[in-house]
């Protein structure tokens, strides 16, 4: 028997089920399951309650054709945000809208609205937009607290990773008080680290606790590939809740200031000064000048004239200018602060009334 004939006979045998009987193929019966467990029910409940407050943000940039000089709008980026109040304020990351000429906000029901920039604070990577939408479409997110978070707490992230809107991921608080860098290269202190999957497009979205309350704004991931590697960071909500009202009220964040300029860290080492804010300039008529602070300088012969180093603010140590600016941001213009000041080996305390950074 030839090989070709054998193959044909085998094919015919298998196609008829071996005995000419037709193979029976019916849908499988489904297996009943019990009730969802408590964790699953909470996951579902949190998503149903909070997802209507989460929005998709698309930024557009105007591009001009080199030859025709015609302009067109092209998508330049996407991200996530959340509804802050029923006045239409939407909070997101500054880097989500950075470089865009226009932004569009898409709500949970897929309706879209043009957004206007209300204010931004790049040092903390926070921006506030505003849309004109019916109040019933603007359920404000519930705001929690970050000061009492504990490592191990359950967290949720809702966002639009890779443009896939309304995506829920879960995880835990992996660590607290991390430091990350903002777009201005200022340090954002107190960041929340989480292993909830955060990918490009999640930026600006809410990090939630198990009660569905906002505890942070997802802002960065640590990943060599650019995708989630189980290390994400969020700006703590206590910081957000301090900055956003000022942006809504003033359109910008005006930092309380002392009116000083600090020298570099290596200068402090060279001069044998302690860690702190070494003053190289004190502005005339500034809060620092009124408090009697003096900068380092040189006399006519070129010798160093001892100045002041601010080592703490209201009893909290400051290792450098960034530390001091972060502390001053938590105060109000016109508020009095007690400074611990070092000069020529002597330490003293002075009281200064904070002015405006403008």
């Amino acid at each position: 028997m030839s090989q070709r004939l054998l193959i044909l006979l085998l094919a015919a045998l298998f196609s008829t089920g071996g005995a000419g009987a037709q193979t029976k193929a019916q849908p499988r019966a489904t297996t009943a399951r019990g009730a969802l467990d408590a964790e699953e029910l909470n996951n579902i409940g949190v998503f149903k309650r909070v997802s209507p407050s989460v929005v998709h943000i698309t930024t557009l940039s105007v591009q001009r054709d080199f030859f025709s000089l015609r302009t067109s709008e092209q998508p330049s980026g996407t991200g996530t945000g959340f509804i802050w109040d029923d006045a239409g304020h939407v909070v997101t990351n500054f880097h989500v809208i950075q470089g865009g000429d226009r932004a569009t906000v898409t709500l949970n029901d897929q309706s879209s609205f043009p957004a206007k920039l209300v204010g931004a604070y790049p040092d903390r990577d926070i921006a506030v937009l505003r849309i004109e939408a019916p109040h019933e479409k603007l359920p404000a997110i519930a705001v929690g607290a970050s000061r009492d978070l504990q490592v191990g707490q359950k967290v949720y992230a809702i966002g639009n990773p890779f443009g896939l809107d309304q995506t829920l991921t879960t995880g835990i608080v992996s660590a607290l008080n991390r430091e990350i860098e903002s777009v201005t290269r200022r340090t954002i202190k107190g960041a929340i680290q989480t292993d909830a999957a955060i990918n490009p497009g999640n930026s600006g979205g809410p990090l939630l606790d198990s009660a569905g309350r906002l505890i942070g704004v997802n802002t960065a991931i640590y990943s060599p590939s650019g995708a989630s590697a189980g290390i994400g960071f969020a700006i703590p909500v206590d910081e957000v809740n301090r900055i956003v009202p000022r942006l809504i009220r003033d359109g910008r964040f005006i930092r309380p200031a002392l009116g000083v300029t600090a020298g570099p860290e290596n200068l402090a080492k060279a001069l044998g000064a302690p860690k702190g804010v070494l003053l190289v300039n004190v502005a005339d008529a500034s809060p620092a000048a009124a408090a009697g602070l003096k900068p380092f300088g040189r006399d006519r012969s070129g010798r160093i004239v001892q100045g002041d180093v601010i080592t703490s603010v209201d009893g909290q140590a400051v290792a450098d200018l960034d530390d001091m600016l972060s502390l001053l941001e938590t105060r109000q213009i016109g508020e009095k602060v007690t400074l611990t000041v070092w000069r020529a080996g002597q330490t003293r305390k002075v009281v200064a009334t904070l002015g405006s950074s403008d």
Side-chain angles (χ1 to χ4, degrees):
M1 183 182 295
S2 69
Q3 185 176 6
R4 177 180 176 81
L5 181 58
L6 179 61
I7 292 172
L8 290 173
L9 287 172
L10 288 172
L13 178 64
F14 283 112
S15 67
T16 60
Q22 187 174 6
T23 303
K24 293 182 179 180
Q26 298 294 329
R28 291 283 307 276
T30 58
T31 302
R33 61 152 293 157
L36 298 174
D37 65 30
E39 183 176 1
E40 291 174 309
L41 289 171
N42 194 60
N43 294 348
I44 295 167
V46 167
F47 182 76
K48 285 183 176 180
R49 289 196 309 275
V50 181
S51 59
S53 301
V54 180
V55 304
H56 188 186
I57 298 173
T58 305
T59 56
L60 303 168
S61 296
V62 176
Q63 297 183 1
R64 186 184 296 274
D65 184 87
F66 181 78
F67 296 102
S68 69
L69 300 183
R70 292 178 180 175
T71 60
S72 62
E73 288 187 329
Q74 302 293 331
S76 58
T78 63
T80 306
F82 52 88
I83 299 168
W84 183 258
D85 57 32
D86 63 4
H89 291 110
V90 172
V91 176
T92 187
N93 284 144
F94 172 73
H95 77 259
V96 168
I97 61 163
Q98 185 181 20
D101 297 301
R102 192 164 68 84
T104 299
V105 170
T106 302
L107 303 181
N108 176 258
D109 64 0
Q110 299 305 306
S111 58
S112 295
F113 299 88
K116 294 181 180 179
L117 178 63
V118 172
Y121 190 33
D123 283 359
R124 291 294 177 267
D125 201 12
I126 295 174
V128 178
L129 308 177
R130 189 170 186 269
I131 59 173
E132 298 285 348
H135 291 313
E136 61 271 18
K137 290 191 172 206
L138 299 171
I141 199 164
V143 176
S146 52
R147 58 187 172 274
D148 54 0
L149 288 176
Q150 298 184 62
V151 172
Q153 277 187 238
K154 181 86 177 245
V155 294
Y156 301 89
I158 301 178
N160 305 292
F162 304 107
L164 301 171
D165 62 336
Q166 298 293 310
T167 298
L168 173 71
T169 56
T170 66
I172 62 168
V173 173
S174 303
L176 296 167
N177 296 316
R178 295 303 197 200
E179 294 186 358
I180 58 177
E181 193 174 81
S182 72
V183 293
T184 61
R185 308 191 74 82
R186 279 283 312 279
T187 300
I188 300 175
K189 301 178 186 294
I192 303 164
Q193 181 183 327
T194 179
D195 65 349
I198 296 175
N199 289 291
N202 273 109
S203 289
L207 186 70
L208 310 163
D209 64 11
S210 57
R213 304 180 309 158
L214 178 71
I215 57 170
V217 178
N218 299 318
T219 191
I221 58 173
Y222 178 80
S223 170
S225 68
S228 175
I231 302 177
F233 300 98
I235 303 167
V237 70
D238 292 349
E239 186 94 339
V240 177
N241 207 9
R242 181 173 58 80
I243 293 170
V244 168
R246 295 199 200 182
L247 295 179
I248 293 173
R249 183 188 66 200
D250 303 322
R252 57 199 174 126
F253 187 86
I254 303 173
R255 183 192 301 116
L258 289 168
V260 299
T261 303
E265 185 179 346
N266 58 0
L267 178 60
K269 289 182 179 179
L271 295 174
K275 274 192 173 183
V277 181
L278 184 143
L279 306 185
V280 295
N281 184 62
V282 174
D284 293 337
S286 66
L293 299 186
K294 302 291 184 184
F296 279 76
R298 292 183 183 273
D299 62 18
R300 291 183 178 180
S301 63
R303 290 178 300 184
I304 297 292
V305 176
Q306 291 288 318
D308 291 321
V309 179
I310 300 171
T311 58
S312 75
V313 177
D314 287 337
Q316 292 184 264
V318 291
D320 51 32
L321 179 62
D322 199 58
D323 269 358
M324 187 177 77
L325 293 178
S326 295
L327 276 174
L328 294 183
E329 285 173 4
T330 66
R331 307 303 198 267
Q332 299 288 333
I333 294 170
E335 187 176 341
K336 294 182 184 298
V337 292
T338 300
L339 309 174
T340 302
V341 179
W342 177 95
R343 185 193 296 177
Q346 302 295 316
T347 299
R348 70 189 192 283
K349 293 185 184 297
V350 299
V351 176
T353 302
L354 296 175
S356 168
S357 57
D358 279 6

